[in-house]
Amino acid sequence: MKSIIKQKFSVSYQYDIHFTSGLFTLENRLLSRFFAERLDGPVPKLLVAVDEGVARCHPTLVDQIRDYLNPEPAVQLVSDILVVPGGEAIKNHREHVDRIIEAVDRYGIDRHSYIMAIGGGAVLDAIGYATAVAHRGIRHLRVPTTVLSQNDSGMGVKNGINYRGKKNFVGTFSPPVAVFNDNRFLLTLDDRAWASGISEAVKVALIKDAAFFDWIEAHAGSLRRRDGEVMDELIFRCAELHLQHIAGADPFEFGSSRPLDFGHWSAHKLEQLSGFEVLHGEAVAIGIALDTVYSAIVGLLPPQDAQRVLSVLQALELPIFHPLLGGAAADHPLLAGLEEFREHLGGRLTIMLLSAIGRGVEVHELEAENVLRAAAALQEGVHLVN
Ligand SMILES: NC(=O)c1ccc[n+]([C@@H]2O[C@H](COP(=O)([O-])OP(=O)(O)OC[C@H]3O[C@@H](n4cnc5c(N)ncnc54)[C@H](O)[C@@H]3O)[C@@H](O)[C@H]2O)c1
Ligand SMILES: [Zn+2]
């Protein structure tokens, strides 16, 4: 009897990340061209979901979308534009995903139709998830509206929602068909949201590109003063580094290595502990500070370099510690967070640390005692070098 048939195939993905200004203004023909170029058969439907926070700050957006897309011959806009909760609220309650799936059913959205999500990383994650599971995958368009989603999450391949307070517990790997970064959305972000997204750029610079870190250090003042051109440059480079990484390594994370999660193991725990009051980017800044100081404590990273990292985070007005990460050693939240990360990752624990600015190094264990020392050093504002 024959006992085995071996099977192997690969699927290739290709999608473009567009950088533009005023995506839905009539003079901007980018979207119109996009649909026209992809038309191949019957005119596809397009369902649009907008982040409530974005809709509030851009009160004419829904009308603008209609004015732009209704006359387009290569796409059929579903007249019901869905406004969905912004921020972690959309990821914390499954009913929002169900609402998208219901709309897919009601409006006859098929696998050749498009669902466009306009919003911050949380809305993109939740709508992306609904889009990936309805009909086993509908074409997904992303229009990220925050610094963080334009430079990091918007062009990634992951989506997901939270489950019982656990971040991204449910989700899929599913690339978009295109991403449209419109810098005009960034104008309405408050200062906290503006600054917090920069931490993902600091993260990727620290593990991959020392020259980019130097550039961020030199431009910290302009970034804090909200210089739009400097931010455009930051977002472009950061997006490029994320994309290169995704294409070059292990996009669907079959292995245990997740370099782009530098600073994230503790960040996820802090977000959860704070009831998502601490923004993802803020939590990442604190996570970067923690893992940087840990790297210095265990002798991987020169203390001067660690001090430089902390100074840049502070120059960007990003936090480097939060009181929720204090506590007694026996049931310290960071140690619980490490265990949760181990579980979420599966396989062998792999954590990215730094051996130099621009060079990440993976380890497979963190020493509890040194994690707590790093947290205590940040809590007490201890200087690493005098
Ligand atoms: N899938 C991934 O690979 C990946 C990567 C990184 C982060 N994330 C996720 O992204 C989420 C964080 O995303 P975020 O930092 O973009 O914030 P967010 O989506 O949580 O949004 C924060 C707030 O800003 C509002 N908002 C969004 N755009 C706005 C605009 N232009 N003007 C005014 N208000 C606006 C939202 O309504 C919300 O209230 C987290 O859930 C995180 O887990 C996912
Ligand atoms: Zn992140």
Side-chain angles (χ1 to χ4, degrees):
M1 192 182 81
K2 293 174 184 163
S3 65
I4 187 167
I5 300 174
K6 292 202 181 211
Q7 163 81 316
K8 184 177 182 182
F9 60 83
S10 53
V11 181
S12 100
Y13 288 97
Q14 191 179 338
Y15 54 97
D16 292 336
I17 289 71
H18 302 272
F19 296 82
T20 192
S21 236
L23 182 66
F24 297 104
T25 52
L26 291 175
E27 58 276 19
N28 186 328
R29 302 319 296 156
L30 180 60
L31 262 186
S32 170
R33 273 200 311 273
F34 171 83
F35 289 116
E37 281 164 10
R38 293 181 60 101
L39 186 63
D40 177 22
V43 174
K45 291 181 186 168
L46 167 66
L47 177 70
V48 178
V50 183
D51 184 318
E52 201 172 30
V54 177
R56 199 178 326 114
C57 294
H58 299 261
T60 59
L61 178 64
V62 168
D63 287 340
Q64 261 189 308
I65 294 171
R66 289 207 173 97
D67 292 348
Y68 189 104
L69 290 169
N70 275 335
E72 283 301 319
V75 72
Q76 186 192 337
L77 178 68
V78 172
S79 62
D80 189 7
I81 292 180
L82 308 176
V83 177
V84 296
E88 220 57 30
I90 193 170
K91 292 176 68 171
N92 280 335
H93 302 286
R94 220 210 118 84
E95 73 211 45
H96 305 302
V97 167
D98 289 340
R99 192 176 151 214
I100 301 297
I101 295 173
E102 274 158 32
V104 167
D105 186 22
R106 190 172 339 123
Y107 298 116
I109 303 293
D110 63 23
R111 285 177 46 76
H112 292 258
S113 306
Y114 295 94
I115 296 183
M116 175 187 275
I118 304 174
V123 163
L124 302 185
D125 271 6
I127 306 295
Y129 174 58
T131 304
V133 296
H135 291 307
R136 300 201 181 104
I138 295 165
R139 295 171 177 171
H140 184 37
L141 300 175
R142 298 198 192 128
V143 181
T145 58
T146 59
V147 171
L148 187 134
S149 55
Q150 291 197 359
N151 72 14
D152 177 337
S153 78
M155 67 253 14
V157 297
K158 296 191 271 184
N159 55 55
I161 54 173
N162 307 332
Y163 176 73
R164 298 187 175 171
K166 290 188 179 171
K167 285 279 293 185
N168 306 327
F169 198 86
V170 178
T172 75
F173 289 90
S174 171
V177 299
V179 182
F180 299 92
N181 274 346
D182 178 349
N183 62 6
R184 285 205 200 154
F185 282 116
L186 307 182
L187 298 175
T188 55
L189 291 174
D190 63 25
D191 287 345
R192 253 182 98 190
W194 170 277
S196 70
I198 302 173
S199 60
E200 301 282 7
V202 174
K203 169 201 78 179
V204 75
L206 282 173
I207 57 171
K208 285 186 178 291
D209 186 347
F212 186 38
F213 183 83
D214 295 346
W215 183 92
I216 296 173
E217 188 175 44
H219 291 86
S222 317
L223 288 165
R224 207 186 51 228
R225 290 190 297 277
R226 299 187 64 144
D227 182 320
E229 279 178 27
V230 175
M231 182 55 97
D232 284 350
E233 219 173 314
L234 175 118
I235 288 174
F236 193 90
R237 181 64 185 145
C238 183
E240 201 171 34
L241 284 166
H242 275 91
L243 287 162
Q244 279 167 6
H245 178 83
I246 291 167
D250 178 18
F252 289 1
E253 295 173 0
F254 291 123
S256 297
S257 165
R258 287 169 60 165
L260 293 178
D261 270 1
F262 172 56
H264 277 58
W265 69 266
S266 56
H268 288 166
K269 185 67 188 171
L270 175 57
E271 285 181 82
Q272 179 202 339
L273 283 173
S274 74
F276 301 98
E277 163 51 33
V278 177
L279 303 177
H280 178 74
E282 292 172 333
V284 169
I286 293 167
I288 290 172
L290 184 77
D291 288 352
T292 298
V293 174
Y294 180 96
S295 302
I297 287 176
V298 298
L300 277 172
L301 180 71
Q304 296 85 335
D305 286 351
Q307 188 61 60
R308 240 182 109 196
V309 175
L310 299 184
S311 301
V312 167
L313 292 172
Q314 288 176 309
L316 292 164
E317 291 183 356
L318 287 165
I320 58 169
F321 189 72
H322 193 286
L324 282 171
L325 295 185
D331 57 351
H332 198 283
L334 279 172
L335 304 184
L338 191 55
E339 281 318 303
E340 281 168 26
F341 188 73
R342 191 194 300 271
E343 210 178 285
H344 180 67
L345 204 63
R348 192 176 182 197
L349 177 71
T350 305
I351 302 251
M352 183 61 96
L353 295 176
L354 296 179
S355 63
I357 285 180
R359 195 169 342 118
V361 53
E362 286 184 338
V363 299
H364 297 290
E365 210 50 65
L366 290 186
E367 296 150 17
E369 183 195 339
N370 286 326
V371 169
L372 301 187
R373 275 179 67 198
L378 288 168
Q379 185 163 27
E380 290 155 22
V382 170
H383 286 283
L384 297 165
V385 283
N386 294 314

PDB file of all heavy atoms in Angstrom, residues 133-154:
ATOM      1  N   VAL A 133     -12.110  36.624   7.649  1.00  0.00           N
ATOM      2  CA  VAL A 133     -12.881  35.408   7.945  1.00  0.00           C
ATOM      3  C   VAL A 133     -14.201  35.323   7.173  1.00  0.00           C
ATOM      4  O   VAL A 133     -14.694  34.224   6.927  1.00  0.00           O
ATOM      5  CB  VAL A 133     -13.119  35.212   9.471  1.00  0.00           C
ATOM      6  CG1 VAL A 133     -11.793  34.994  10.191  1.00  0.00           C
ATOM      7  CG2 VAL A 133     -13.888  36.357  10.099  1.00  0.00           C
ATOM      8  N   ALA A 134     -14.768  36.468   6.803  1.00  0.00           N
ATOM      9  CA  ALA A 134     -16.021  36.410   6.041  1.00  0.00           C
ATOM     10  C   ALA A 134     -15.715  35.835   4.651  1.00  0.00           C
ATOM     11  O   ALA A 134     -14.767  36.301   3.983  1.00  0.00           O
ATOM     12  CB  ALA A 134     -16.617  37.816   5.906  1.00  0.00           C
ATOM     13  N   HIS A 135     -16.454  34.868   4.232  1.00  0.00           N
ATOM     14  CA  HIS A 135     -16.200  34.160   2.958  1.00  0.00           C
ATOM     15  C   HIS A 135     -14.767  33.643   2.866  1.00  0.00           C
ATOM     16  O   HIS A 135     -14.208  33.531   1.777  1.00  0.00           O
ATOM     17  CB  HIS A 135     -16.455  35.064   1.751  1.00  0.00           C
ATOM     18  CG  HIS A 135     -17.905  35.407   1.535  1.00  0.00           C
ATOM     19  ND1 HIS A 135     -18.894  34.476   1.451  1.00  0.00           N
ATOM     20  CD2 HIS A 135     -18.514  36.615   1.380  1.00  0.00           C
ATOM     21  CE1 HIS A 135     -20.062  35.075   1.255  1.00  0.00           C
ATOM     22  NE2 HIS A 135     -19.864  36.373   1.216  1.00  0.00           N
ATOM     23  N   ARG A 136     -14.115  33.451   3.981  1.00  0.00           N
ATOM     24  CA  ARG A 136     -12.701  33.025   4.039  1.00  0.00           C
ATOM     25  C   ARG A 136     -11.752  34.047   3.419  1.00  0.00           C
ATOM     26  O   ARG A 136     -10.642  33.723   3.017  1.00  0.00           O
ATOM     27  CB  ARG A 136     -12.482  31.682   3.336  1.00  0.00           C
ATOM     28  CG  ARG A 136     -13.279  30.554   3.931  1.00  0.00           C
ATOM     29  CD  ARG A 136     -12.635  29.227   3.555  1.00  0.00           C
ATOM     30  NE  ARG A 136     -13.386  28.122   4.098  1.00  0.00           N
ATOM     31  CZ  ARG A 136     -14.188  27.351   3.378  1.00  0.00           C
ATOM     32  NH1 ARG A 136     -14.351  27.568   2.105  1.00  0.00           N
ATOM     33  NH2 ARG A 136     -14.822  26.356   3.947  1.00  0.00           N
ATOM     34  N   GLY A 137     -12.200  35.276   3.284  1.00  0.00           N
ATOM     35  CA  GLY A 137     -11.273  36.311   2.819  1.00  0.00           C
ATOM     36  C   GLY A 137     -11.833  37.166   1.709  1.00  0.00           C
ATOM     37  O   GLY A 137     -12.087  36.683   0.607  1.00  0.00           O
ATOM     38  N   ILE A 138     -12.046  38.422   2.047  1.00  0.00           N
ATOM     39  CA  ILE A 138     -12.501  39.413   1.062  1.00  0.00           C
ATOM     40  C   ILE A 138     -11.324  40.358   0.856  1.00  0.00           C
ATOM     41  O   ILE A 138     -10.465  40.493   1.735  1.00  0.00           O
ATOM     42  CB  ILE A 138     -13.745  40.146   1.635  1.00  0.00           C
ATOM     43  CG1 ILE A 138     -14.892  39.134   1.774  1.00  0.00           C
ATOM     44  CG2 ILE A 138     -14.163  41.324   0.753  1.00  0.00           C
ATOM     45  CD1 ILE A 138     -16.026  39.618   2.638  1.00  0.00           C
ATOM     46  N   ARG A 139     -11.285  41.028  -0.294  1.00  0.00           N
ATOM     47  CA  ARG A 139     -10.157  41.952  -0.555  1.00  0.00           C
ATOM     48  C   ARG A 139     -10.182  43.102   0.449  1.00  0.00           C
ATOM     49  O   ARG A 139     -11.203  43.791   0.577  1.00  0.00           O
ATOM     50  CB  ARG A 139     -10.263  42.498  -1.966  1.00  0.00           C
ATOM     51  CG  ARG A 139     -10.113  41.437  -3.025  1.00  0.00           C
ATOM     52  CD  ARG A 139     -10.450  42.030  -4.373  1.00  0.00           C
ATOM     53  NE  ARG A 139     -10.244  41.069  -5.439  1.00  0.00           N
ATOM     54  CZ  ARG A 139     -10.621  41.281  -6.697  1.00  0.00           C
ATOM     55  NH1 ARG A 139     -11.222  42.414  -7.036  1.00  0.00           N
ATOM     56  NH2 ARG A 139     -10.390  40.375  -7.612  1.00  0.00           N
ATOM     57  N   HIS A 140      -9.059  43.302   1.084  1.00  0.00           N
ATOM     58  CA  HIS A 140      -9.007  44.286   2.171  1.00  0.00           C
ATOM     59  C   HIS A 140      -8.166  45.504   1.779  1.00  0.00           C
ATOM     60  O   HIS A 140      -7.017  45.363   1.365  1.00  0.00           O
ATOM     61  CB  HIS A 140      -8.409  43.607   3.413  1.00  0.00           C
ATOM     62  CG  HIS A 140      -8.391  44.466   4.626  1.00  0.00           C
ATOM     63  ND1 HIS A 140      -9.394  45.356   4.934  1.00  0.00           N
ATOM     64  CD2 HIS A 140      -7.478  44.586   5.620  1.00  0.00           C
ATOM     65  CE1 HIS A 140      -9.095  45.970   6.058  1.00  0.00           C
ATOM     66  NE2 HIS A 140      -7.941  45.525   6.495  1.00  0.00           N
ATOM     67  N   LEU A 141      -8.759  46.679   1.899  1.00  0.00           N
ATOM     68  CA  LEU A 141      -8.032  47.936   1.676  1.00  0.00           C
ATOM     69  C   LEU A 141      -7.880  48.638   3.012  1.00  0.00           C
ATOM     70  O   LEU A 141      -8.838  48.728   3.775  1.00  0.00           O
ATOM     71  CB  LEU A 141      -8.820  48.852   0.723  1.00  0.00           C
ATOM     72  CG  LEU A 141      -9.100  48.290  -0.663  1.00  0.00           C
ATOM     73  CD1 LEU A 141      -9.999  49.268  -1.443  1.00  0.00           C
ATOM     74  CD2 LEU A 141      -7.797  48.078  -1.419  1.00  0.00           C
ATOM     75  N   ARG A 142      -6.691  49.151   3.279  1.00  0.00           N
ATOM     76  CA  ARG A 142      -6.486  49.848   4.545  1.00  0.00           C
ATOM     77  C   ARG A 142      -6.148  51.311   4.315  1.00  0.00           C
ATOM     78  O   ARG A 142      -5.290  51.628   3.483  1.00  0.00           O
ATOM     79  CB  ARG A 142      -5.333  49.207   5.321  1.00  0.00           C
ATOM     80  CG  ARG A 142      -5.578  47.762   5.702  1.00  0.00           C
ATOM     81  CD  ARG A 142      -4.627  47.367   6.824  1.00  0.00           C
ATOM     82  NE  ARG A 142      -4.621  45.930   7.023  1.00  0.00           N
ATOM     83  CZ  ARG A 142      -3.524  45.188   7.055  1.00  0.00           C
ATOM     84  NH1 ARG A 142      -2.332  45.746   6.910  1.00  0.00           N
ATOM     85  NH2 ARG A 142      -3.598  43.882   7.256  1.00  0.00           N
ATOM     86  N   VAL A 143      -6.815  52.155   5.081  1.00  0.00           N
ATOM     87  CA  VAL A 143      -6.482  53.579   5.094  1.00  0.00           C
ATOM     88  C   VAL A 143      -6.152  53.940   6.545  1.00  0.00           C
ATOM     89  O   VAL A 143      -7.023  54.299   7.329  1.00  0.00           O
ATOM     90  CB  VAL A 143      -7.654  54.445   4.559  1.00  0.00           C
ATOM     91  CG1 VAL A 143      -7.271  55.935   4.567  1.00  0.00           C
ATOM     92  CG2 VAL A 143      -8.064  53.999   3.171  1.00  0.00           C
ATOM     93  N   PRO A 144      -4.884  53.792   6.927  1.00  0.00           N
ATOM     94  CA  PRO A 144      -4.491  54.056   8.315  1.00  0.00           C
ATOM     95  C   PRO A 144      -4.523  55.559   8.598  1.00  0.00           C
ATOM     96  O   PRO A 144      -4.149  56.363   7.744  1.00  0.00           O
ATOM     97  CB  PRO A 144      -3.047  53.549   8.376  1.00  0.00           C
ATOM     98  CG  PRO A 144      -2.786  52.835   7.083  1.00  0.00           C
ATOM     99  CD  PRO A 144      -3.752  53.365   6.096  1.00  0.00           C
ATOM    100  N   THR A 145      -4.961  55.914   9.795  1.00  0.00           N
ATOM    101  CA  THR A 145      -5.136  57.345  10.088  1.00  0.00           C
ATOM    102  C   THR A 145      -4.313  57.833  11.274  1.00  0.00           C
ATOM    103  O   THR A 145      -4.486  58.970  11.704  1.00  0.00           O
ATOM    104  CB  THR A 145      -6.620  57.642  10.371  1.00  0.00           C
ATOM    105  OG1 THR A 145      -7.029  56.825  11.477  1.00  0.00           O
ATOM    106  CG2 THR A 145      -7.489  57.358   9.166  1.00  0.00           C
ATOM    107  N   THR A 146      -3.480  56.967  11.844  1.00  0.00           N
ATOM    108  CA  THR A 146      -2.621  57.395  12.951  1.00  0.00           C
ATOM    109  C   THR A 146      -1.156  57.200  12.528  1.00  0.00           C
ATOM    110  O   THR A 146      -0.870  56.476  11.567  1.00  0.00           O
ATOM    111  CB  THR A 146      -2.864  56.543  14.212  1.00  0.00           C
ATOM    112  OG1 THR A 146      -2.593  55.178  13.886  1.00  0.00           O
ATOM    113  CG2 THR A 146      -4.282  56.671  14.726  1.00  0.00           C
ATOM    114  N   VAL A 147      -0.272  57.829  13.281  1.00  0.00           N
ATOM    115  CA  VAL A 147       1.157  57.651  12.995  1.00  0.00           C
ATOM    116  C   VAL A 147       1.503  56.172  13.086  1.00  0.00           C
ATOM    117  O   VAL A 147       2.152  55.604  12.201  1.00  0.00           O
ATOM    118  CB  VAL A 147       2.009  58.476  13.998  1.00  0.00           C
ATOM    119  CG1 VAL A 147       3.487  58.132  13.859  1.00  0.00           C
ATOM    120  CG2 VAL A 147       1.770  59.967  13.803  1.00  0.00           C
ATOM    121  N   LEU A 148       1.026  55.540  14.147  1.00  0.00           N
ATOM    122  CA  LEU A 148       1.370  54.140  14.380  1.00  0.00           C
ATOM    123  C   LEU A 148       0.874  53.230  13.254  1.00  0.00           C
ATOM    124  O   LEU A 148       1.581  52.351  12.778  1.00  0.00           O
ATOM    125  CB  LEU A 148       0.806  53.677  15.722  1.00  0.00           C
ATOM    126  CG  LEU A 148       1.241  52.281  16.148  1.00  0.00           C
ATOM    127  CD1 LEU A 148       1.668  52.281  17.601  1.00  0.00           C
ATOM    128  CD2 LEU A 148       0.155  51.253  15.925  1.00  0.00           C
ATOM    129  N   SER A 149      -0.348  53.461  12.827  1.00  0.00           N
ATOM    130  CA  SER A 149      -0.874  52.568  11.789  1.00  0.00           C
ATOM    131  C   SER A 149      -0.267  52.890  10.419  1.00  0.00           C
ATOM    132  O   SER A 149      -0.157  52.020   9.567  1.00  0.00           O
ATOM    133  CB  SER A 149      -2.400  52.616  11.756  1.00  0.00           C
ATOM    134  OG  SER A 149      -2.865  53.930  11.598  1.00  0.00           O
ATOM    135  N   GLN A 150       0.171  54.135  10.206  1.00  0.00           N
ATOM    136  CA  GLN A 150       0.791  54.457   8.913  1.00  0.00           C
ATOM    137  C   GLN A 150       2.238  53.969   8.844  1.00  0.00           C
ATOM    138  O   GLN A 150       2.752  53.712   7.764  1.00  0.00           O
ATOM    139  CB  GLN A 150       0.745  55.968   8.660  1.00  0.00           C
ATOM    140  CG  GLN A 150      -0.666  56.465   8.412  1.00  0.00           C
ATOM    141  CD  GLN A 150      -0.735  57.837   7.770  1.00  0.00           C
ATOM    142  OE1 GLN A 150       0.280  58.473   7.506  1.00  0.00           O
ATOM    143  NE2 GLN A 150      -1.935  58.311   7.522  1.00  0.00           N
ATOM    144  N   ASN A 151       2.888  53.860   9.995  1.00  0.00           N
ATOM    145  CA  ASN A 151       4.302  53.473   9.909  1.00  0.00           C
ATOM    146  C   ASN A 151       4.540  52.018  10.296  1.00  0.00           C
ATOM    147  O   ASN A 151       5.640  51.516  10.169  1.00  0.00           O
ATOM    148  CB  ASN A 151       5.192  54.424  10.729  1.00  0.00           C
ATOM    149  CG  ASN A 151       5.073  54.283  12.245  1.00  0.00           C
ATOM    150  OD1 ASN A 151       4.514  53.316  12.748  1.00  0.00           O
ATOM    151  ND2 ASN A 151       5.585  55.255  12.965  1.00  0.00           N
ATOM    152  N   ASP A 152       3.505  51.333  10.768  1.00  0.00           N
ATOM    153  CA  ASP A 152       3.726  49.979  11.289  1.00  0.00           C
ATOM    154  C   ASP A 152       2.562  49.051  10.952  1.00  0.00           C
ATOM    155  O   ASP A 152       2.588  48.310   9.972  1.00  0.00           O
ATOM    156  CB  ASP A 152       3.952  50.086  12.815  1.00  0.00           C
ATOM    157  CG  ASP A 152       4.130  48.747  13.513  1.00  0.00           C
ATOM    158  OD1 ASP A 152       3.670  47.726  12.989  1.00  0.00           O
ATOM    159  OD2 ASP A 152       4.710  48.725  14.612  1.00  0.00           O
ATOM    160  N   SER A 153       1.490  49.146  11.727  1.00  0.00           N
ATOM    161  CA  SER A 153       0.480  48.090  11.640  1.00  0.00           C
ATOM    162  C   SER A 153      -0.253  48.059  10.301  1.00  0.00           C
ATOM    163  O   SER A 153      -0.636  46.996   9.836  1.00  0.00           O
ATOM    164  CB  SER A 153      -0.523  48.227  12.787  1.00  0.00           C
ATOM    165  OG  SER A 153      -1.458  49.238  12.544  1.00  0.00           O
ATOM    166  N   GLY A 154      -0.431  49.220   9.677  1.00  0.00           N
ATOM    167  CA  GLY A 154      -1.237  49.292   8.447  1.00  0.00           C
ATOM    168  C   GLY A 154      -0.671  48.486   7.303  1.00  0.00           C
ATOM    169  O   GLY A 154      -1.400  48.020   6.434  1.00  0.00           O
TER     170      GLY A 154
END
